[in-house]
Amino acid sequence: MKTRLQKAIEDKTAQVVVLGLGYVGLPVACLFAEAGFPVKGIDRNQDKVDMINRGQCPIEGKEPGLAALLSEAVASGRFLATADYSVCDAAQVVLIAVETPVNPVTRKPGYEALRGALSELSRHLSPGTLVIVESTIAPRTMDTIVRPLMENVSGLRVNEDFYLANCPERVMSGKLLQNIRTMHRVVGGMSPSTAELAVQFYRHVVQADLDPVDCITAEVVKTAENAYRDVQIAFANEMALICEDLGANVWRVRELVNKSPYRTMHLPGAGVGGHCIPKDPWLLLAWCSDQLNARLLPAARTVNDHMPSHMIGLTRQALEQAGLEVGGSRIAVLGYAYLENSDDTRNTPTAPFVEGLRQAGAEVVIHDPYVHEYNTSFEETVDGVDCVVVMVRHDQYREIDLSRLKDRLNHAVLVDGRDMLDKDQVRTAGFIYMGVGNRV
Ligand code: SAJ
């Protein structure tokens, strides 16, 4: 059975099905179609399915090459989207790329989408199928949830009737295709031969290392790589608070620290958003034993989650310098996406920041060139406001004409959460300026 699957993977006749057509599933489906495989994508959002089958890309923001790849894959007939799980009956390789959010209160994984996809798939699971989970999952999920759920619903046995692997995605908004093609991947298998089979499959698309490992290693590597980044960013954010307190400029400090060998101090800022960094430390810790009592990862999350409220403090201080209070002020917020030049708003730090300003009685207007809801006229957004706050380093904001901006404002107050603008230029243009890690 496995040799038949191996052959179908080798000659690219294997019917591939991708569950979940979001930032992970959609590009990977297009890339395997481009490689020559027949690919079907399943998504519960019928509007998205219809849009894809018209050859239109549902992901906005700058995603180089994706729209063209999608329309070519659809036009060639090698990629078809549907909401119907019965296409899994004929699947030989199934990739699962559904969301795996973390409950903000319990910090435990919310596997409703994953369980739903697994249950539906398992009802249509044929013997000899290779199933690969690409979603980021808490270590031990493959062993304690994926495997038993699939065996119970399908009646088939892992390693005998079907094959189970975990190849965590490493995509990033703005580089979806590039990351899938060029980033090293760990490929966890429920057996070494399954890991090798999955490596053979990904070799058709991935031009980087494909490291076969067991599932627990793959689960730990993925969550650890993002927990590591969260700690690095938390260090930079804590340094910003320290520099504000001591009257230093954290951005200059960072430059000079990084001149020291083996230092790569990250960028402080208005907060840490996205679908990976804020949640993966919690996934990593989700099923560790209570005795572990992890301290560093939770502390880093606390530091990073504090930054939006720190931005409220900076905004309050800047307004006070203009004789104003947050309550009753009209504030323009630049950037709603979680990342520069992206339309992705998942876990955006701007959300709690705006919520806090409104709770304090401010009138808030938001601008974001990539987020549909806020892609209004920049000039209209800033007209007559008492303060402008930069929350995201969208390229468009680099060209802000400070003197024209000043003419539009009611009060020339600017708070910079991303070191987007030069403090001296802003002050010379007549603004009150406050920046993260750079107040004096
Ligand atoms: N951020 C900072 N300071 C930094 C870097 C990021 O405040 O020095 C903030 C960003 O503004 C954003 C959040 O953190 O709000 C996340 O930014 P990110 O650059 O980490 O972007 P993500 O969330 O798309 O992270 C993904 C991750 N990739 C995967 O999970 C596959 C991460 O591991 C990558 O390092 C990152 O992309 C990347 O830069 O490629």
Side-chain angles (χ1 to χ4, degrees):
M1 187 160 48
K2 196 168 238 180
T3 45
R4 196 169 68 244
L5 175 59
Q6 206 152 5
K7 176 101 180 54
I9 288 174
E10 193 179 323
D11 57 27
K12 300 186 280 189
T13 57
Q15 174 62 61
V16 176
V17 174
V18 179
L19 307 187
L21 297 178
Y23 287 88
V24 177
L26 185 63
V28 78
C30 293
L31 285 169
F32 276 103
E34 181 194 44
F37 285 88
V39 181
K40 288 195 171 61
I42 297 180
D43 200 287
R44 58 190 174 190
N45 180 330
Q46 189 61 51
D47 291 342
K48 182 189 288 189
V49 165
D50 297 341
M51 190 173 181
I52 289 168
N53 288 335
R54 291 195 299 269
Q56 291 169 358
C57 183
I59 296 175
E60 292 168 10
K62 289 181 181 173
E63 288 301 346
L66 183 58
L69 190 69
L70 169 62
S71 72
E72 159 57 25
V74 172
S76 69
R78 277 199 301 275
F79 178 39
L80 177 73
T82 176
D84 178 3
Y85 268 86
S86 64
V87 300
C88 295
D89 290 324
Q92 291 170 281
V93 181
V94 179
L95 301 183
I96 301 175
V98 297
E99 62 166 10
T100 51
V102 165
N103 180 301
V105 176
T106 64
R107 309 286 194 204
K108 296 300 180 190
Y111 282 157
E112 291 73 19
L114 180 64
R115 290 176 186 278
L118 290 169
S119 304
E120 289 287 349
L121 165 61
S122 301
R123 287 188 194 92
H124 297 278
L125 189 65
S126 309
T129 305
L130 170 61
V131 178
I132 305 172
V133 177
E134 285 214 353
S135 304
T136 303
I137 50 181
R140 302 190 57 231
T141 298
M142 291 299 288
D143 222 22
T144 62
I145 291 182
V146 178
R147 174 179 188 156
L149 189 157
M150 292 194 71
E151 289 187 327
N152 294 340
V153 174
S154 69
L156 302 179
R157 311 252 57 81
V158 162
N159 294 339
E160 292 162 34
D161 305 316
F162 71 101
Y163 313 106
L164 198 47
N166 170 218
C167 181
E169 51 84 8
R170 279 184 164 164
V171 299
M172 177 187 180
S173 293
K175 310 178 194 169
L176 295 178
L177 293 180
Q178 175 193 326
N179 277 22
I180 296 171
R181 287 183 175 126
T182 62
M183 284 193 81
H184 304 316
R185 303 277 290 264
V186 288
V187 185
M190 278 287 175
S191 74
S193 62
T194 296
E196 288 302 337
L197 190 59
V199 163
Q200 188 194 337
F201 174 67
Y202 279 100
R203 185 48 69 214
H204 289 292
V205 162
V206 177
Q207 298 133 26
D209 293 355
L210 289 165
D211 296 304
V213 294
D214 58 22
C215 284
I216 191 71
T217 302
E219 292 167 321
V220 171
V221 165
K222 170 63 196 178
T223 48
E225 72 192 26
N226 283 339
Y228 174 61
R229 184 167 176 83
D230 197 47
V231 169
Q232 290 176 303
I233 299 169
F235 176 82
N237 282 329
E238 184 129 290
M239 280 308 302
L241 305 187
I242 290 168
C243 286
E244 284 181 23
D245 189 72
L246 296 173
N249 173 350
V250 74
W251 305 97
R252 183 71 179 129
V253 164
R254 173 179 176 269
E255 253 175 66
L256 298 172
V257 162
N258 287 347
K259 283 192 165 185
S260 178
Y262 320 118
R263 291 339 183 253
T264 49
M265 183 172 153
H266 279 38
L267 297 166
V272 176
H275 58 298
C276 309
I277 308 301
K279 74 166 187 166
D280 289 3
W282 299 122
L283 287 176
L284 176 56
L285 294 172
W287 290 324
C288 293
S289 60
D290 293 342
Q291 293 81 340
L292 179 83
N293 187 26
R295 285 183 288 279
L296 178 62
L297 302 192
R301 286 279 70 238
T302 302
V303 169
N304 289 336
D305 277 350
H306 168 71
M307 295 315 285
S309 50
H310 184 67
M311 286 296 294
I312 292 173
L314 290 179
T315 304
R316 178 174 287 112
Q317 289 165 47
L319 284 166
E320 279 165 2
Q321 285 186 29
L324 301 169
E325 293 182 359
V326 172
S329 291
R330 183 177 166 85
I331 299 170
V333 174
L334 306 187
Y336 196 80
Y338 84 85
L339 197 66
E340 56 270 19
N341 307 324
S342 166
D343 71 332
D344 195 337
T345 62
R346 286 175 288 182
N347 299 313
T348 178
T350 304
F353 173 64
V354 167
E355 176 61 26
L357 290 178
R358 284 176 174 153
Q359 278 176 1
E363 183 193 350
V364 180
V365 284
I366 301 169
H367 177 270
D368 191 304
Y370 293 102
V371 178
H372 197 67
E373 189 182 350
Y374 302 117
N375 179 17
T376 52
S377 140
F378 176 81
E379 289 72 16
E380 282 170 22
T381 305
V382 300
D383 263 348
V385 300
D386 301 306
C387 175
V388 175
V389 182
V390 177
M391 287 292 285
V392 185
R393 297 170 66 92
H394 287 321
D395 289 349
Q396 171 177 334
Y397 300 141
R398 289 179 200 289
E399 286 100 51
I400 289 177
D401 179 323
L402 291 167
S403 58
R404 286 179 58 189
L405 175 65
K406 185 168 183 292
D407 294 343
R408 289 184 174 277
L409 304 186
N410 203 15
H411 291 88
V413 179
L414 189 141
V415 180
D416 191 347
R418 297 286 181 191
D419 192 39
M420 181 90 203
L421 302 165
D422 179 282
K423 175 180 67 176
D424 296 334
Q425 285 177 13
V426 173
R427 284 184 172 156
T428 306
F431 285 79
I432 289 168
Y433 172 93
M434 275 280 182
V436 163
N438 184 12
R439 284 191 321 170
V440 292

